[in-house]
Amino acid sequence: MDVVAPYTINPPTLEKKVLIATQGSEFKNKVTGGIVDYFKADSVYIEVVDITSLPTINLEKYNALVIIHTWENWKPPITVQTFIEKYPEHKNKIVVLTTSGEGSYKMEGIDAITGESILADAPIFVDTIVARLNRLLISKEN
């Protein structure tokens, strides 16, 4: 996987904040770009980082977190697993997309979206993730 260069969209002073932690690949970049494109015109601060940055992330600062990763050697990347285990009380605001060759592997106890990295299917994953994020961000308004 490629390392993702971090970037932000919209000012960090906005009330709604979404973090996307991802690995770099053509498929993951397309999914990430679709999520960013959907929310960039909205009043949502978006921060995109590589999953290797997860140990430095304070989840308390965000209303929602998207983690996009590949299932590697029969398990998730250690940074993903460690991060999710660090915040068990916040796993309801974490949206996980796990890709694998077979398309069904995911971490135990996590309501993850799973699939294969098929470029033509990227819009389907974007729509699913956006729907989950919208529910999380709407609950932030109440």
Side-chain angles (χ1 to χ4, degrees), residues 17-116:
K17 295 175 175 53
V18 173
L19 176 70
I20 303 172
T22 186
Q23 293 174 302
S25 73
E26 190 174 2
F27 174 80
K28 290 171 189 63
N29 295 345
K30 188 168 183 174
V31 171
T32 300
I35 298 165
V36 168
D37 286 345
Y38 180 88
F39 286 106
K40 71 181 175 187
D42 203 349
S43 295
V44 178
Y45 170 72
I46 305 165
E47 186 173 350
V48 178
V49 299
D50 190 82
I51 63 164
T52 57
S53 299
L54 283 172
T56 65
I57 299 298
N58 177 2
L59 185 53
E60 308 277 336
K61 290 176 31 180
Y62 303 92
N63 305 103
L65 165 64
V66 178
I67 299 176
I68 304 171
H69 73 88
T70 296
W71 198 255
E72 301 168 345
N73 301 316
W74 306 105
K75 60 186 182 280
I78 192 67
T79 54
V80 171
Q81 184 167 348
T82 303
F83 183 83
I84 291 174
E85 289 172 353
K86 179 180 175 181
Y87 290 103
E89 71 279 9
H90 292 293
K91 72 179 181 179
N92 61 334
K93 71 180 191 178
I94 301 174
V95 178
V96 178
L97 170 58
T98 302
T99 62
S100 63
E102 188 227 298
S104 65
Y105 294 110
K106 65 178 187 162
M107 285 180 62
E108 185 117 0
I110 299 298
D111 183 21
I113 302 161
T114 61
E116 298 176 67

